[in-house]
Amino acid sequence: MRKAWLWVALGAVVFVIAGAAFSVGRMAAMPQQSPKVEVKPPTKEERELQKLKIAASEGKLVEATPTPQGWVVRFEQEAEELSKKSLAEQAQKFFSDLARSEVEVARTSFEAKSSSLKDVWGNTLKDVPVARVELSQETFKRINWKGFSPDNFSRVADELWVHEIIERIEEQKKQQSQQQGGQGGSQQGGGSGQGQG
């Protein structure tokens, strides 16, 4: 009788092992299916925000707020040079990139900052605003950015501000060039004579 139970138990073990091997074989033969991932397409707002980020890639997108009239977009960038011409060109480039994004703009502004200015004690100042140009929706739409001259911001911008330090720097450069222009010949001759002595 013991042998019968032993044979029954042994048969059960073989049956379980064979069943497991069969199941493993079937799973290995089945094509592997990767889990399904549902990808939602981006919303219109998400697509527009991405376009604004691309337009602002050379600086910092400080604000991008959707409104029923369009986006309120504020942008900051480090001033490349402390001159009105350079600052106006930087503003024109940003606004032109923004227009190319074809996103509806309710209001937008460009602000240039500088970390090259010093206080009266000689300490370097960080992120000092040196210029700002703000445009309403109407003004932004009206400008043909492909043919617009940055010199005309003073005539068309809804708000235009330039730090007084820019005025002073440009006045100093103007005075220096006038002095060098009037004394150019005598300074060159005198300077070379002194260097040799």
Side-chain angles (χ1 to χ4, degrees):
M1 183 123 163
R2 266 188 170 176
K3 277 187 171 182
W5 280 104
L6 187 63
W7 283 108
V8 170
L10 186 63
V13 169
V14 168
F15 181 75
V16 169
I17 292 173
F22 178 75
S23 296
V24 168
R26 277 191 53 104
M27 287 192 298
M30 293 173 71
Q32 296 295 322
Q33 293 180 355
S34 54
K36 291 185 179 181
V37 178
E38 188 177 329
V39 178
K40 294 180 182 177
T43 64
K44 179 183 180 209
E45 189 174 293
E46 290 170 335
R47 286 191 310 271
E48 289 180 345
L49 180 58
Q50 187 61 35
K51 289 179 180 181
L52 293 174
K53 287 179 179 178
I54 291 168
S57 62
E58 292 187 24
K60 180 180 177 185
L61 188 61
V62 178
E63 180 183 2
T65 307
T67 70
Q69 296 78 31
W71 288 81
V72 175
V73 180
R74 291 187 321 121
F75 174 77
E76 289 179 359
Q77 188 173 15
E78 183 71 20
E80 293 172 2
E81 187 181 321
L82 296 179
S83 74
K84 286 183 189 177
K85 183 178 191 303
S86 175
L87 295 169
E89 287 170 353
Q90 280 184 261
Q92 192 269 346
K93 180 166 183 348
F94 165 67
F95 291 132
S96 180
D97 290 345
L98 183 58
R100 269 198 306 276
S101 74
E102 297 180 350
V103 173
E104 189 70 27
V105 174
R107 188 161 200 82
T108 182
S109 69
F110 166 89
E111 184 170 272
K113 293 189 170 189
S114 175
S115 295
S116 64
L117 298 174
K118 296 188 178 190
D119 65 14
V120 294
W121 305 103
N123 300 309
T124 301
L125 302 171
K126 297 284 182 200
D127 295 328
V128 176
V130 291
R132 184 174 36 262
V133 181
E134 190 165 324
L135 305 174
S136 66
Q137 183 178 46
E138 181 183 345
T139 304
F140 184 77
K141 281 183 174 181
R142 191 169 180 191
I143 296 172
N144 173 3
W145 292 106
K146 291 179 183 174
F148 180 74
S149 171
D151 298 334
N152 289 325
F153 275 124
S154 61
R155 299 175 67 192
V156 300
D158 295 291
E159 181 185 325
L160 176 68
W161 171 81
V162 178
H163 196 293
E164 63 183 22
I165 194 75
I166 304 297
E167 300 282 351
R168 280 191 260 153
I169 289 171
E170 290 194 345
E171 186 60 36
Q172 287 172 354
K173 285 181 182 178
K174 187 178 176 181
Q175 288 174 359
Q176 286 174 351
S177 87
Q178 287 174 349
Q179 288 174 353
Q180 288 174 353
Q183 300 172 352
S186 63
Q187 283 182 332
Q188 290 174 352
S192 61
Q194 290 174 354
Q196 294 172 354

